[in-house]
Amino acid sequence: MVYKFTFTVFTPAFNNAHKLSRAYESLKVQTFKDFEWLIVDDGSTDNTAELIKKYQDESPFSIHYMRQENRGKHIATNTGVEKAQGEFFVIVDSDDSLPSNALQRYKYYWDSIPIDQRYRYFQVTALAMFSTGGLATNKYPLDIIDSNTLEMIYKYKIKGSTGHGCARTEILRMFPYPTDLRTKFVPEGLVIHAIAQAGFLERCVNEGLYIFYDDQDTHRLTKQSPIKFADSHALWHQFILNYEIKKWFCYAPIKISESSVHYSRFSFHSGSGLLQQYKALDDIYAKILWLIGLPIGFSVYIKDMIVYKKEKPLPGL
């Protein structure tokens, strides 16, 4: 496929017009100019549309704006990936920004991968920084290391705001977010882990190429509730148990055991009984771990029901 731009910088927006200038101003000063800015508005009720029109009238780069009904960041991302005209897809949340050299550095690191090996790679992954200073995650074990998300999390214990980078658009199109869940939130890791599970590599670099703002009044699309978002969380932990337990349990037994607890917890919230939970697990080790963690998962579920008693159950329950 022939792409019109090197990069699509994608921003999912929801009632954050008062902070969109962060992303816009950072794109205006990018040292690498071959990109488009694609905004998918997830049903905002503020002046996002009017602000983007103003940006389009004055901007030195291409800006494309789309609006959808409020369905969640994952649906907005699917739309963005489908409509992207850039070879690489860079996500910038509506209240964050990029350093001025971010796109140039992503291009540099991608070009450093031998041409005959690039088919094996999914993205260049960099570090995120807080706007107030300091890293939002710990560093990778080497300044440049070819690995994947699973190895970084389980073997090297990388924590924090990871996964910021430039991804190949064609790979993202192969791994869309599920659209049949009764929730407006799906963990981003569901797609990233699936891509890693498929064997694609990432070139991970110890350079801060994303600026993260952690405002108290932020209207993020990824706010979580154990009841409202039970479907997606149950699916997320089911994926971990089915596909990651055999290879990675020896590296992170506590972390994966916690997934067995959360799997039953969120499954109860989503209306799945014991038999349904059991049948959804394909791996015998996953079934054993689920059974061991079941009493704790049920206890946490009961606690949720007490703490979040004002939350409405999922549709259809």
Side-chain angles (χ1 to χ4, degrees):
M1 178 177 178
V2 177
Y3 291 96
K4 186 175 180 180
F5 303 95
T6 301
F7 295 100
T8 290
V9 178
F10 167 70
T11 297
F14 178 66
N15 288 345
N16 248 349
H18 60 300
K19 295 178 183 176
L20 263 172
S21 61
R22 295 173 181 168
Y24 176 60
E25 294 298 329
S26 74
L27 293 179
K28 283 172 61 177
V29 297
Q30 286 299 305
T31 55
F32 187 88
K33 306 295 185 181
D34 186 21
F35 69 90
E36 64 169 342
W37 189 24
L38 173 60
I39 303 100
V40 176
D41 186 346
D42 188 44
S44 294
T45 56
D46 61 5
N47 64 323
T48 293
E50 292 79 2
L51 182 62
I52 297 302
K53 179 62 169 63
K54 174 179 177 294
Y55 290 160
Q56 288 173 322
D57 291 341
E58 67 181 30
S59 173
F61 53 85
S62 296
I63 299 177
H64 302 104
Y65 173 79
M66 302 179 63
R67 180 179 171 83
Q68 66 176 32
E69 61 178 289
N70 181 235
R71 299 180 64 194
K73 182 179 179 179
H74 64 296
I75 302 297
T77 302
N78 281 352
T79 301
V81 170
E82 179 185 350
K83 300 298 183 181
Q85 300 180 78
E87 181 181 4
F88 299 99
F89 197 79
V90 178
I91 299 177
V92 181
D93 283 340
S94 58
D95 44 12
D96 294 333
S97 67
L98 297 176
S100 61
N101 66 341
L103 298 183
Q104 183 176 10
R105 296 300 288 169
Y106 283 139
K107 184 69 164 56
Y108 166 80
Y109 286 119
W110 178 258
D111 289 346
S112 71
I113 301 172
I115 294 178
D116 63 344
Q117 294 297 311
R118 291 177 188 172
Y119 73 95
R120 302 173 59 206
Y121 288 78
F122 156 55
Q123 72 175 5
V124 173
T125 309
L127 303 178
M129 306 175 291
F130 286 115
S131 60
T132 53
L135 295 175
T137 181
N138 48 322
K139 289 186 175 182
Y140 299 114
L142 298 173
D143 285 343
I144 299 178
I145 182 171
D146 294 335
S147 182
N148 63 49
T149 297
L150 301 180
E151 186 174 53
M152 285 298 164
I153 291 174
Y154 292 124
K155 184 176 180 179
Y156 295 113
K157 315 301 180 186
I158 300 298
K159 299 177 181 179
S161 184
T162 60
H164 294 285
C166 70
R168 289 167 59 195
T169 303
E170 64 177 309
I171 302 299
L172 289 177
R173 286 175 178 161
M174 296 166 55
F175 295 88
Y177 286 97
T179 59
D180 57 348
L181 302 176
R182 299 166 297 175
T183 175
K184 295 179 182 179
F185 169 79
V186 174
E188 295 177 2
L190 190 63
V191 165
I192 301 299
H193 282 228
I195 293 172
Q197 184 68 30
F200 289 100
L201 295 172
E202 301 173 40
R203 175 147 290 187
C204 304
V205 301
N206 276 334
E207 184 172 356
L209 297 179
Y210 190 92
I211 301 175
F212 178 77
Y213 293 78
D214 194 13
D215 304 304
Q216 291 183 348
D217 65 334
T218 289
H219 293 281
R220 294 191 177 273
L221 301 183
T222 53
K223 290 183 177 179
Q224 303 179 25
S225 162
I227 297 177
K228 287 184 177 180
F229 303 131
D231 275 8
S232 58
H233 283 297
L235 181 63
W236 165 237
H237 292 291
Q238 175 190 325
F239 182 92
I240 291 174
L241 293 176
N242 276 336
Y243 300 108
E244 299 175 12
I245 188 171
K246 282 186 176 179
K247 185 173 182 179
W248 303 108
F249 185 80
C250 60
Y251 290 99
I254 296 177
K255 187 177 184 66
I256 293 181
S257 295
E258 289 174 348
S259 277
S260 71
V261 171
H262 290 306
Y263 169 64
S264 59
R265 169 198 184 189
F266 291 117
S267 292
F268 285 126
H269 279 305
S270 66
S272 296
L274 294 177
L275 186 59
Q276 289 175 286
Q277 294 178 39
Y278 178 83
K279 288 183 174 180
L281 298 175
D282 302 324
D283 187 277
I284 185 60
Y285 297 105
K287 293 177 187 292
I288 293 172
L289 197 62
W290 163 76
L291 187 61
I292 294 172
L294 187 58
I296 302 175
F298 184 75
S299 298
V300 179
Y301 159 72
I302 295 299
K303 180 181 178 181
D304 288 340
M305 294 299 289
I306 296 172
V307 174
Y308 298 94
K309 60 183 178 181
K310 292 184 179 181
E311 291 276 6
K312 296 181 179 179
L314 290 171
L317 296 185

